[in-house]
Amino acid sequence: SVEQSSSAQSSLNVESVFLHASVGVLQMNKAHYVQYANSAFLQIFDIHEPLEGQPVSLHPALRFLEDAFRQALRGEDVSPRFTSIGARDYVVVLEPRGEAGVLVLVLDRGEMDSAQRIRTEFVANASHELRTPLATILGYAETLLSASSSLNDEQRVLAEAILRNGRRLRDLFEDILHLARIEASTGRFPKDTFHILSVLQEAIAPAADIADLRGVEFSLDCSTDLYFVLNEEAIQTIVGNLVNNAVNYTPDGGAVNVEVRQEGEYLYIRVKDNGIGIAPEHHERIFERFFRVDDGR
């Protein structure tokens, strides 16, 4: 039938992609037998004979993955495995596929790091270049509004919309550049001793002003003599995001509280609000980049 022909053609296309991919691909069924292994997989592990129809555990080069295979076959999430072969480092990703067994992907860490670096540099450069024409747009909009007496009502509304949305774009570009700087740092954040109350007062100031305008009670509970070793920019970004969300999603007349406590060697910063919250089914995605709960909610 046409449907079967289309399905067969799709299968052939997928197999062709896997065959010529630089990523190692292996498909294992529920019985622990190899169904498919592309040439890149065989080359990475220096395997010179076909694996199809063989138990995975029989091959010496793959025995380090036995526990991971069993875990994946049980349907459990498996953390990536890392291995060095020759002078190259690889990441092995195992994806449980239910009754279909387990899909295994082997990626060159050097190529991954290079791709990540190129992506980060592109995002940073694009955001930086876009800020220049945006600054010009904002400048013209501000100039127009400074002479608002010469504008009619409709023109003034349009100029205000240009300025408002231009500022939103500016803030977005700043966020993207900040994210690029964090990624480029590869986890190395310089730390120093800071006065916590001063750091947090600066972080929450914009949100506190908005809360005041909307009649949202905003409070900061922090000792005046508390000092701690941290990265100031990172803490201000994290706390600033939390309190902005708290204020934005708390109805007028609500309350937002920032509480700071030192317990042993740890500093705890808690942001509480009585806003709409996030439904339990979305909790596991809270730290997923750019995820937003449906605006309709």
Side-chain angles (χ1 to χ4, degrees):
S1 68
V2 174
E3 184 178 346
Q4 289 174 327
S5 174
S6 175
S7 176
Q9 183 65 42
S10 175
S11 177
L12 287 172
N13 289 340
V14 171
E15 186 169 330
S16 177
V17 170
F18 282 161
L19 180 64
H20 300 289
S22 60
V23 175
V25 180
L26 178 140
Q27 174 70 36
M28 179 181 67
N29 65 18
K30 294 282 285 185
H32 234 250
Y33 283 82
V34 176
Q35 292 179 300
Y36 175 79
N38 71 348
S39 57
F41 187 95
L42 301 178
Q43 184 176 356
I44 289 169
F45 289 102
D46 195 26
I47 298 172
H48 302 287
E49 67 277 356
L51 288 179
E52 284 81 356
Q54 296 186 32
V56 175
S57 57
L58 283 181
H59 205 284
L62 304 179
R63 283 179 186 157
F64 78 101
L65 292 171
E66 280 190 73
D67 290 340
F69 284 142
R70 282 194 289 268
Q71 189 177 345
L73 285 172
R74 291 195 297 267
E76 302 173 9
D77 289 334
V78 183
S79 58
R81 299 305 200 257
F82 301 92
T83 186
S84 297
I85 303 173
R88 306 185 78 88
D89 297 324
Y90 294 94
V91 182
V92 183
V93 179
L94 294 91
E95 181 185 339
R97 305 297 295 271
E99 292 304 315
V102 177
L103 179 67
V104 182
L105 302 176
V106 186
L107 304 98
D108 188 314
R109 290 190 69 179
E111 293 179 1
M112 290 174 61
D113 292 343
S114 177
Q116 172 71 12
R117 184 172 61 255
I118 292 171
R119 184 182 67 83
T120 300
E121 290 175 354
F122 170 77
V123 170
N125 291 337
S127 298
H128 181 76
E129 293 300 324
L130 287 169
R131 286 194 305 174
T132 302
L134 180 60
T136 303
I137 294 171
L138 286 172
Y140 282 131
E142 290 170 350
T143 301
L144 283 172
L145 287 171
S146 67
S148 58
S149 59
S150 61
L151 302 177
N152 60 39
D153 291 343
E154 183 179 358
Q155 291 170 334
R156 185 163 48 253
V157 168
L158 293 174
E160 288 173 348
I162 293 171
L163 183 61
R164 182 174 61 255
N165 287 284
R167 286 172 174 168
R168 288 178 62 188
L169 280 174
R170 178 195 60 195
D171 293 342
L172 176 62
F173 293 153
E174 290 296 333
D175 285 345
I176 292 173
L177 284 170
H178 184 71
L179 182 60
R181 287 198 299 272
I182 290 174
E183 290 183 331
S185 72
T186 61
R188 295 187 297 272
F189 291 95
K191 298 177 182 178
D192 206 342
T193 301
F194 289 93
H195 182 230
I196 299 303
L197 181 60
S198 299
V199 171
L200 294 183
Q201 283 176 332
E202 185 174 347
I204 69 175
D209 291 340
I210 295 173
D212 185 56
L213 291 173
R214 294 181 45 201
V216 173
E217 182 183 345
F218 196 105
S219 60
L220 171 60
D221 180 10
C222 178
S223 172
T224 58
D225 58 356
L226 182 57
Y227 290 81
F228 205 78
V229 177
L230 46 79
N231 180 281
E232 183 182 30
E233 184 181 16
I235 290 297
Q236 288 184 340
T237 299
I238 294 167
V239 175
N241 283 336
L242 290 173
V243 295
N244 276 324
N245 282 338
V247 171
N248 288 337
Y249 296 100
T250 296
D252 296 357
V256 175
N257 170 252
V258 181
E259 178 187 21
V260 185
R261 292 286 183 272
Q262 183 173 3
E263 299 177 14
E265 60 179 320
Y266 295 100
L267 184 72
Y268 291 89
I269 303 173
R270 300 181 175 93
V271 179
K272 305 177 183 178
D273 65 76
N274 59 356
I276 62 175
I278 299 174
E281 61 265 26
H282 298 303
H283 286 183
E284 64 180 15
R285 302 188 65 186
I286 287 174
F287 293 103
E288 182 179 320
R289 182 182 294 183
F290 304 131
F291 171 74
R292 293 179 68 87
V293 175
D294 181 10
D295 289 339
R297 298 180 60 84

